Amino acid sequence: MRRSDRKKQHHFKGWWIGLLVVVVLAGIGGAFFAFNGHHSLTTSKPQHINLVALGDSLTEGVGDEKKQGGYVSQIKSKLESKQNVKVSTANYGVAGNRSDQIEKRLKTQPKFQKTLKNADVIVMTVGGNDLFQRLQQEMFVSSTTTVKKDMSTALDTYQDKLTSLMTEIRKVNPKAPLFLYSIYNPVYVYFANVSLISQSVADYNEAAKKTAQADGHAYFVDINHDLSDGQYNTKAKRAKLVKQNKNVNGQGLNLARYNDVMSEQHKNSNIYISNDDHFHPNHKGYGIMTNHLYKVMMAHRDQWER
């Protein structure tokens, strides 16, 4: 082979080796970049989320025996531990508030308005007091027909009030996703045979779900069966509960019988409901609320992640 040919061959071989080196280095560099790019997502400065909670005693955290603030503190901890976010919370829950009272506070409290306006996420509990304050009045009504008529009217009134409250919230903050909790039957394990309560809870929840859907940026968080049923969470266990409570419920729902049962440390106590008042969630119950909220938030994370 002539020297010139050997020189050309050597040059050609060197060119291919150089190209191969470039390709390998590019691959290594790409892999390094991909790894570092992925790694940077988990080590970069956390996203900051302003979460504003409003509503009644369930938002205030009544019943949490650990005095840790109920679901508001728990969802903050869960988001920060599982997601790359830093969460600031503001709690505007007031025990005993009905839907119209929550709206009145929002309309008349500038600080409440300012905080809500800056919210990235809104969470609300509402409806429990609307319903149960009405049910307490119906305990004194002996006519079944009258009770059904009264509860139907009360349901229509509640839906109007909830719509008004949602409208007021959207005047202040039109875009932040709103997570609306359902209500539940806190005395189901004591009055499993009294259909008036469970059916009323279901009706109020259906009204709330429709109101959330109409909003477009609101999402329903259903805690009804988990908190109402407690440890009686299978068909067989519920049937046994109904049988056990046959005598308890035989007199129907009346104020005297209700007070008798509530004053006893009844053996069918719900493990998720506070034994102090037989109404509000305990710390475990707020954990159930938190888990459901987290799941719905993750399903709609595109609404609050930036």
Side-chain angles (χ1 to χ4, degrees):
M1 181 181 293
R2 290 181 301 177
R3 180 181 298 179
S4 60
D5 291 336
R6 287 198 300 271
K7 187 174 181 181
K8 288 179 181 179
Q9 185 180 40
H10 177 74
H11 178 74
F12 184 73
K13 182 179 180 181
W15 184 83
W16 272 108
I17 292 174
L19 179 61
L20 181 61
V21 169
V22 170
V23 170
V24 170
L25 289 177
I28 294 173
F32 179 78
F33 175 81
F35 173 79
N36 276 346
H38 173 75
H39 186 64
S40 67
L41 291 176
T42 58
T43 59
S44 61
K45 185 177 179 180
Q47 176 188 348
H48 186 266
I49 299 295
N50 288 318
L51 186 150
V52 177
L54 65 155
D56 50 32
S57 53
L58 299 187
T59 292
E60 186 177 330
V62 175
D64 185 351
E65 72 277 12
K66 294 188 178 183
K67 308 299 181 183
Q68 294 181 357
Y71 79 82
V72 178
S73 65
Q74 289 190 41
I75 192 62
K76 169 183 168 69
S77 298
K78 196 174 184 80
L79 285 170
E80 290 185 338
S81 65
K82 291 185 173 294
Q83 305 296 321
N84 189 34
V85 295
K86 178 67 177 176
V87 182
S88 296
T89 62
N91 191 325
Y92 285 91
V94 174
N97 267 194
R98 300 182 307 272
S99 52
D100 56 310
Q101 293 170 316
I102 298 169
E103 181 179 354
K104 183 177 180 180
R105 283 195 290 120
L106 180 56
K107 285 182 173 180
T108 58
Q109 296 179 8
K111 184 178 179 181
F112 190 176
Q113 295 170 7
K114 183 177 180 180
T115 304
L116 187 64
K117 182 178 181 180
N118 294 323
D120 301 304
V121 173
I122 304 169
V123 185
M124 182 164 65
T125 60
V126 63
N129 292 307
D130 295 72
L131 173 58
F132 283 95
Q133 288 177 21
R134 185 67 202 184
L135 282 172
Q136 285 177 344
Q137 297 173 19
E138 297 302 320
M139 288 180 182
F140 299 100
V141 180
S142 58
S143 170
T144 302
T145 302
T146 301
V147 170
K148 288 183 178 180
K149 183 179 179 181
D150 289 348
M151 293 308 299
S152 178
T153 301
L155 175 62
D156 292 339
T157 300
Y158 172 65
Q159 185 150 24
D160 289 342
K161 288 182 177 181
L162 181 59
T163 300
S164 179
L165 172 58
M166 292 283 287
T167 300
E168 192 63 30
I169 290 171
R170 287 314 185 192
K171 286 179 182 178
V172 178
N173 188 322
K175 296 182 179 180
L178 188 153
F179 298 91
L180 175 63
Y181 272 112
S182 75
I183 60 174
Y184 60 94
N185 180 356
V187 296
Y188 173 75
V189 300
Y190 306 109
F191 297 100
N193 291 330
V194 180
S195 60
L196 174 64
I197 306 176
S198 294
Q199 186 58 54
S200 296
V201 167
D203 291 342
Y204 273 57
N205 281 336
E206 186 61 27
K209 188 175 182 178
K210 288 180 179 178
T211 304
Q213 291 172 341
D215 175 82
H217 294 287
Y219 307 97
F220 192 64
V221 182
D222 193 352
I223 58 172
N224 181 18
H225 292 295
D226 278 358
L227 283 190
S228 298
D229 297 351
Q231 65 270 38
Y232 304 95
N233 54 1
T234 67
K235 186 176 181 180
K237 289 179 180 179
R238 285 192 293 271
K240 184 178 180 181
L241 180 66
V242 169
K243 185 177 180 180
Q244 288 175 343
N245 281 283
K246 186 175 182 180
N247 292 332
V248 173
N249 297 324
Q251 300 177 45
L253 181 61
N254 61 73
L255 188 59
R257 187 56 184 151
Y258 177 84
N259 289 335
D260 285 344
V261 174
M262 292 299 101
S263 65
E264 301 169 2
Q265 289 297 316
H266 203 274
K267 64 181 180 180
N268 291 328
S269 178
N270 187 328
I271 62 171
Y272 299 128
I273 302 297
S274 169
N275 281 327
D276 291 337
D277 60 18
H278 302 280
F279 191 91
H280 295 96
N282 55 25
H283 190 76
K284 285 184 178 180
Y286 281 115
I288 295 293
M289 292 181 65
T290 300
N291 291 340
H292 279 278
L293 175 58
Y294 180 80
K295 183 177 180 180
V296 178
M297 287 186 69
M298 290 302 101
H300 301 283
R301 62 190 303 165
D302 60 309
Q303 298 293 306
W304 54 270
E305 280 191 332
R306 287 193 291 266

